[in-house]
Each structure stands twice: as C-alpha cells, then as structure tokens.
Amino acid sequence: MMQRGPEATDQALIQAIEAITQQEKNFWSQPLEYDRRGAGHRFFQYPAMMLPVVQRKIIQLIKSAAPRTQTLLDPFMGSGTALAAGMLNGLDCYGQDINPMSVLLAKVKAEAFNQPAYLRAAERLRKRVKADTSTEVTANFPNLDKWFEKKVAQELSKLVRAIRQERRLSTRRLFWVTLAETVRLTSNDRTSTFKLHARSAEDIAKRDPSPLKTFEQLFAQNTEDIALYAEQLSSQGYLREEAYTGRVNISVLDSSKRIKLPVARTPLSAASADAVAGFDLVVSSPPYGDNRTTVPYGQHAYLPLQWIDFVDIDSAVSPDCLSTTHEIDNRSLGGQRNTVTTRDQKRFCRLSPAFAANIQELVKTKPKEVKKVVCFVRDLNEVLKRCAQAVKPNGYLVWTIGNRKVGGLEIHNNLILADLLAHYNIVQVYKIERSIQSKRMAARNRSTTTMTKEEILIFRKK
C-alpha cells in the first residue's frame, strides 16, 4: 500500500478536524460528550487542566491520518491528561514534569485499573485507621498549625500511617492521590485560588472538616472512575489482566534540560533502533508564563506533598523541592529571572518578531517586567529545541497555549511559539481556537482572569 506524502497527510488531518467542527461547532471548547469521570481526571483538582476529550480526539485524528503514529511525548505532563488521551488511543506514552504531584497523578492514571482490589484495600485501610489510637502528627513543616487544625492534622496522620502499611505500591499511590485531594479540601487554605492563601479566622471557626469522611467519599468516587476508565480501555483492547497493553514511562525531569527518548517495544537491530529513535507525536500544554505570576502549580501542591511519602512517588524526587512554598515554581520555566542577560533579550528579539514587538512595548510601558518575559521565553525555547530534536521527521507536535497579560500588555505566546519552532524546521499545519471557560483556573488568581481563550496549534517537523 502506497504511503501518503507529508503534505497529503496534513490535508487529510485538516479535513478531519474541519469535519468535526462542522458537525459540532463548539466541540473544541465544550464538547457534548465531555465528562471528567473517565481516566481519573477527578482524582485531584489540578490547575488549568487540558480538556481530556479534546486531546483524545486530536490524537485519534492524527493517528488516523498518520497510522504509523505509535509514540507520544508530553514534556509538561501536568495531571497526565495527554498521556491518558494517548492511552485511550493505544499509544506508547512518555511524560515528564518537575512537579512530584504531577508525577504521582500520572502514574496512578497509568496503572490504577483493578477496582475490586482497591475496594478490598480500602476496607483494610478503614480497619487500620479505626484501630489507630495515636494522636501523633506525621507531618512536620513550617506553619503546620496555620494550615491545619489540630483535629484535621491528627486524622490526616492516621490515614498516612494506614497507607504506609499497604503492601502494594500501586495501591499506596492511589491512596496518596486520594489523600492529596483530602488535604486540599480540609486544610485552612482557600480553594478559590491556587496560590497559598489562608482562610479568615472567622471562616475557619465555621468549618469542621473531617479528613476521614472526606477521604472515604473521595475514594469511593475514585474507584468508580477507575472502573469506567478500565472499561473504556478494555473495550478497545488496550487493557489485559488489569494492565495497559502499551508502554507508559513517567519521569521526574526538567524538560528544558533533557527529554527521555522512547524505547522500542521489541529488541531491534542497531539500524532499526536508529530509525525509531524519537517520538511520532508531541502533545502538551506549556505554562503560559512563569508559575509564580500565572498558575502556581508548585504552591498548589505544597501542602498535599507534605503528607505523602516521596519514595512512593519516584526515587528521583528530592525533599528539597519543598524547601519553600515557591521552590517547585522557582524551578519551572521563567523561575530564575536573575539569570537573564541583555544578550538573551537581543537573541530572542532576533529569533521571534512577535517577541520583539512585545518587548518593545514593555520597554516603553513596564520596563521592570521585561526580564520576566525574557526569562520565560528563553526557558520555553530550551524545551522546544529538545522536543524538536526528539520528534521524528514528519512527526506532529500539538501545543495548547494561551496568551497572557504582563503589565497590561498581551504577550503573544501563540505567535512566539510558532516563530521559535520555525527555527527547528517545524512548520505550522493548523490552528484551532477555543474558549477556556471550562478549564480549571483559579477564580481569584488575577493573572488567569485574562486567559479566556487559547489555541491548539498543530505543527509538523519537516
């Protein structure tokens, strides 16, 4: 059978996307079939999640247009939405993130399929908690009393001790994820913002949260979602004996420094290995700006991570990521503004006309904000460069990205992204515009209030 050329494949993909749009004009913003229950998307209220069904559909269309698509990379893995979408399309999925909470969530979504076993484990955990008479608090970090009432801390500690006694690692991870959301809901932190912000004394006095009851309710919900996800995978032949049939590899890695390449499913000769050394597809959504002033993923994970055993997440997770409430965010894109130089600014003004236009305006109106934008774009470019190296020729890259405002000026991330990728022999194939009213954004986070639209940009490596 004759293979289509890359341009013909592009056209087939574009026609398929436009057919979906004609059939349901709001599909890319709010599809009728949208449901968060599948693939564990309700496990933890992760900030700014991509819309699961949209990512799944795009991957499906790409796989249909380019049938040899087998490996997927998400260098900004977040809660694992793109990985789950890839799994529902039978792909080998590779994800990276520096946030331990992201890694934990993605691992659970990749391995938690045995609902009956989890229900039995929950009963064992319930008995251990009931028999625990200790009042000792397992967590120990600055301002613990500010964030947790005494009774709450004690109940969370009972859960921690009970989870540690569970022998199976995958079950412990599911328990830890459920505990993470329990911590979020029962702490004194406001849930109206992803930044750490304590409730008022009056508000705290009115509340009487019970981590034990909350955990039990969440776990019941989680196991229901697991059963649905397992059914979805099984119906397509992607689940066998409670295990995904493809490869899933999840790493604690800074994608600006390294991309972990895929491994072939079967041993190959050296020549064949060279031929498959790379990804067929990249699907991701990078931060829209530095975490500290856009969406503080690290701050949002800070309290839950204080109660979770890092050894159960990944051996590469270091406790020093919690040295301050800002440490994870400082390690993310744009987190090290003090390293920005005038040379960086000039370089990216040459590389991206859109960036140059934004910087010229900022220099006039908000010069102090220039370094913030330069630092973020410099770090983003490092990831784009490594992704370009890691994707195969004629492989597709799908980036969901929105613009943000800095000093009242809209920073055109969409145009900057396209400008930068062009230098790596990557061309834009199509653009889908979508509203993000349904995306999990913080209601009281000022920077995110400007993010009401985003674009799904589809590229191909020439």
Side-chain angles (χ1 to χ4, degrees), residues 338-409:
N338 60 333
T339 63
V340 170
T341 65
T342 304
R343 191 174 181 180
D344 290 327
Q345 182 176 327
K346 290 179 179 178
R347 178 190 172 202
F348 287 102
C349 282
R350 289 195 303 272
L351 292 177
S352 169
F355 175 83
N358 276 156
I359 292 301
Q360 286 171 11
E361 286 300 315
L362 270 183
V363 167
K364 295 176 190 174
T365 59
K366 295 284 183 178
K368 291 183 179 179
E369 303 286 357
V370 168
K371 276 193 174 183
K372 178 195 296 186
V373 178
V374 175
C375 188
F376 173 75
V377 170
R378 180 196 64 184
D379 293 353
L380 175 63
N381 181 65
E382 286 300 311
V383 180
L384 298 179
K385 177 176 69 176
R386 294 180 190 281
C387 286
Q389 293 167 345
V391 73
K392 295 178 185 177
N394 293 318
Y396 285 98
L397 302 93
V398 181
W399 297 97
T400 300
I401 193 162
N403 298 337
R404 63 177 295 213
K405 285 192 176 179
V406 175
L409 176 71

Side-chain angles (χ1 to χ4, degrees), residues 33-192:
E33 60 181 290
Y34 174 57
D35 188 347
R36 286 200 187 276
R37 291 179 301 158
H41 298 304
R42 295 193 298 177
F43 286 167
F44 182 75
Q45 191 80 356
Y46 201 84
M49 274 181 56
M50 291 190 289
L51 204 57
V53 69
V54 167
Q55 303 303 320
R56 180 181 176 184
K57 178 59 72 174
I58 288 175
I59 294 169
Q60 178 189 335
L61 296 178
I62 289 174
K63 188 179 176 184
S64 178
R68 291 184 177 180
T69 301
Q70 186 56 58
T71 52
L72 177 149
L73 166 69
D74 186 347
F76 300 105
M77 184 173 54
S79 66
T81 301
L83 299 192
M87 291 171 66
L88 287 164
N89 281 283
L91 302 184
D92 290 344
C93 299
Y94 292 71
Q96 303 185 182
D97 210 292
I98 61 169
N99 188 340
M101 181 57 65
S102 166
V103 173
L104 176 61
L105 276 168
K107 285 188 174 182
V108 171
K109 290 180 181 182
E111 67 188 10
F113 304 113
N114 192 341
Q115 187 204 36
Y118 298 134
L119 292 175
R120 293 192 295 271
E123 186 56 36
R124 294 194 299 270
L125 181 129
R126 193 177 295 114
K127 290 177 180 178
R128 290 195 291 266
V129 167
K130 190 174 181 180
D132 187 345
T133 59
S134 174
T135 58
E136 181 184 354
V137 174
T138 57
N140 181 19
F141 62 97
N143 298 317
L144 186 150
D145 293 342
K146 171 185 175 181
W147 299 112
F148 297 94
E149 297 300 288
K150 185 176 181 181
K151 175 194 167 188
V152 169
Q154 289 174 343
E155 287 194 10
L156 288 172
S157 298
K158 288 179 187 291
L159 288 166
V160 169
R161 288 189 288 269
I163 292 170
R164 287 172 175 167
Q165 293 178 58
E166 177 58 43
R167 279 190 274 182
R168 188 169 179 174
L169 175 59
S170 63
T171 305
R172 290 201 304 275
R173 284 177 176 156
L174 178 59
F175 282 152
W176 289 129
V177 163
T178 309
L179 184 74
E181 182 68 355
T182 301
V183 169
R184 192 185 74 82
L185 294 173
T186 61
S187 75
N188 292 336
D189 184 31
R190 293 182 181 176
T191 55
S192 59

